[in-house]
Amino acid sequence: MSPGPDMSTDLYAVLGNPVEHSKSPRIHALFAAQCEQRLRYEKRLIARDGFSRGLHAFRAEGGKGCNVTVPFKFEAAAAAQRLSPRAALAGAANTLGWDDAGVLWADNTDGIGLVRDLARILGRPAPRLLAGFHVLLLGAGGAASGVLGALIEARPAGLDIWNRSADRARDLAARHAEFAARHGVALRAVAEPEAGYRLLINATASSLDGMALSLPNATLHPGVLAYDLMYAARATPFMVQARAAGAAAEDGLGMLVEQAAESFALWRGMRPDTAPVLAAMQTELRGPRD
């Protein structure tokens, strides 16, 4: 009989539904090897009405911390006893952990992960990474909530939010209105996407569902960067749609690696080098580039 898992090794996981597609276990395995840390990181499929039960079961098994993905990011923030400023602003969390006193804390590393990946793609340093950009954020759920604060901190010239449910877009904009004003960013919810954006960020579940978005023709065109928070071995429907209109397109694999590195640092007290991990993940997911 083969031995069971080493229970002295710290346990982490990603909790979500769906979760089978997640590359987080592989990313954290690479981080652990690089940083010489003993840990195991698993996928946990949680019933859509069972986040609290799943979280408590994970903790009972000795879980030290977890990432949280769709559709539980709002529930993750609500479950925590202590919220970071990022999680409090978003009202959503993607990173949970327990301190030495057993207090459940929550943070949101999605925004910093996105901004760091955009800096890599655009070749522009922070601060004011998005100076001069008009940005359109598509979606108003947990993913959009998690990245909006960091996008505001990158100081775009303007930032619009569009969602199929206009009320949710207005609510998200209202929750960030004071934060945007403090950073000098014109933030608004729009009924329809407009022309003139330089950066479109798809934070909807459309690519996860295999669907393209219904956008006005003038929104996507050459000179626009279309960024999908989802990632896949092939171009997502949003990326295909963008490239057909002449826009540049990127997926969220780089963001996934960067947000994971921030979570790893929160849990383990050290930040991995993301460049070799992203290169490895790109090769594993899509094969070597010519």
Side-chain angles (χ1 to χ4, degrees), residues 80-257:
Q81 296 158 278
R82 188 174 74 242
L83 294 173
S84 72
R86 296 185 294 207
L89 178 65
N94 78 327
T95 305
L96 299 176
W98 289 268
D99 67 16
D100 291 340
V103 172
L104 178 64
W105 56 262
D107 205 334
N108 199 311
T109 67
D110 282 338
I112 190 66
L114 172 60
V115 166
R116 284 176 176 156
D117 197 41
L118 287 173
R120 175 187 66 85
I121 293 165
L122 296 172
R124 301 181 69 175
R128 301 190 66 83
L129 168 68
L130 298 178
F133 278 64
H134 281 82
V135 179
L136 175 64
L137 178 62
L138 300 160
S145 298
V147 302
L148 182 53
L151 289 173
I152 290 169
E153 289 179 322
R155 304 289 182 89
L159 205 167
D160 290 352
I161 305 170
W162 174 84
N163 190 61
R164 283 180 295 182
S165 169
D167 286 346
R168 293 188 69 182
R170 286 191 290 267
D171 289 346
L172 182 58
R175 194 164 71 241
H176 288 74
E178 182 181 348
F179 190 75
R182 207 185 317 150
H183 287 80
V185 175
L187 174 67
R188 60 179 187 160
V190 295
E192 290 291 339
E194 302 173 357
Y197 301 113
R198 288 182 63 187
L199 173 63
L200 271 66
I201 298 171
N202 181 22
T204 74
S206 61
S207 290
L208 191 61
D209 296 335
M211 298 169 55
L213 288 169
S214 178
L215 297 172
N217 292 335
T219 304
L220 289 167
H221 54 79
V224 170
L225 171 62
Y227 190 103
D228 198 336
L229 300 193
M230 298 296 176
Y231 62 92
R234 302 181 183 86
T236 67
F238 180 69
M239 294 171 66
V240 171
Q241 181 181 8
R243 289 170 178 169
E250 297 280 347
D251 75 2
L253 183 61
M255 172 186 163
L256 178 70
V257 172

